[in-house]
Amino acid sequence: MAPHRAARQVMETLAARIARKKQELQAAAPRIALAMATAGLSLVRLRIERDGLPGKSYSTLTVPTFLFYNRTLNAGGRAYIKQNKRGTWGALRGAQGLPSDRVTLGYTNRMWNSLTATGSGATGTVFTARVVSTDREGADRVRYNRARYGDFLQPNAAETKRLGLSAEREITRILQSP
């Protein structure tokens, strides 16, 4: 076989492989975006539950405890209200066995449990996914907390790096597969 003919076959084979890998990457992109959004939500929730919102704490302003009456989760909360004429939201949380030293946005966990990741489409070759609430109450709580605390669902730098490395590993796996 002539050298130029062999080179052309190699180039055609390489071009076909590149085209195939491009198709595989485009087919996997929505799944990768969704996996990143899902993992990102999990990382953010775990961090907030563990560490609380940075720089945020419960108010030390005391209010009449009867205002908490219909908000109690257990007997500890009801006992706190009975024993105290005035109290704080943090103290009520502590009486019920919940963290009171940090804001975790998880009193009933309805907001957290309503959140899910969903694919939101593509623009050219950029595929996106987003975190949404599955019900009105959860969406209202997200809006309220976002207005109060800012974009608390945004991954921090370490979480963003971890998510990027995960996506990079999946892309590398696709590229290196036969």
Side-chain angles (χ1 to χ4, degrees), residues 5-18:
R5 191 174 191 182
R8 186 175 51 201
Q9 283 181 333
V10 167
M11 291 304 292
E12 287 172 358
T13 302
L14 183 58
R17 184 160 193 258
I18 290 171

Side-chain angles (χ1 to χ4, degrees), residues 43-52 102 104 156 159:
L43 290 171
V44 167
R45 181 178 178 173
L46 289 171
R47 171 179 41 85
I48 291 173
E49 287 176 343
R50 182 190 64 228
D51 303 334
R102 61 195 183 278
T104 62
N156 65 22
E159 292 158 349

Side-chain angles (χ1 to χ4, degrees), residues 26 29 121-128:
Q26 286 179 324
T123 304
T125 58
V126 177
F127 292 84
T128 57

Side-chain angles (χ1 to χ4, degrees), residues 67-106:
L67 294 173
F68 302 141
Y69 189 73
N70 289 330
R71 309 273 326 258
T72 60
L73 299 175
N74 58 33
R78 290 186 293 279
Y80 174 78
I81 291 171
K82 274 186 170 179
Q83 295 167 359
N84 299 282
K85 296 277 185 218
R86 295 184 67 79
T88 66
W89 181 252
L92 174 67
R93 286 179 58 87
Q96 296 180 103
L98 298 171
S100 58
D101 60 333
R102 61 195 183 278
V103 175
T104 62
L105 304 177

Side-chain angles (χ1 to χ4, degrees), residues 14-157:
L14 183 58
R17 184 160 193 258
I18 290 171
R20 190 177 81 244
K21 291 300 175 182
K22 182 179 177 182
Q23 286 177 338
E24 288 176 23
L25 286 171
Q26 286 179 324
R31 179 181 51 80
I32 294 170
L34 186 59
M36 287 181 67
T38 302
L41 174 59
S42 294
L43 290 171
V44 167
R45 181 178 178 173
L46 289 171
R47 171 179 41 85
I48 291 173
E49 287 176 343
R50 182 190 64 228
D51 303 334
L53 292 173
K56 305 297 180 191
S57 60
Y58 292 108
S59 172
T60 57
L61 178 68
T62 59
V63 297
T65 56
F66 72 82
L67 294 173
F68 302 141
Y69 189 73
N70 289 330
R71 309 273 326 258
T72 60
L73 299 175
N74 58 33
R78 290 186 293 279
Y80 174 78
I81 291 171
K82 274 186 170 179
Q83 295 167 359
N84 299 282
K85 296 277 185 218
R86 295 184 67 79
T88 66
W89 181 252
L92 174 67
R93 286 179 58 87
Q96 296 180 103
L98 298 171
S100 58
D101 60 333
R102 61 195 183 278
V103 175
T104 62
L105 304 177
Y107 187 64
T108 62
N109 283 323
R110 286 185 193 137
M111 178 194 71
W112 288 121
N113 293 339
S114 78
L115 295 176
T116 189
T118 183
S120 61
T123 304
T125 58
V126 177
F127 292 84
T128 57
R130 56 191 192 130
V131 173
V132 298
S133 179
T134 58
D135 61 50
R136 169 66 88 213
E137 181 184 0
D140 290 344
R141 289 174 190 249
V142 169
R143 265 192 300 283
Y144 171 80
N145 286 323
R146 186 172 279 142
R148 188 169 184 185
Y149 300 115
D151 192 3
F152 63 93
L153 291 173
Q154 186 67 35
N156 65 22

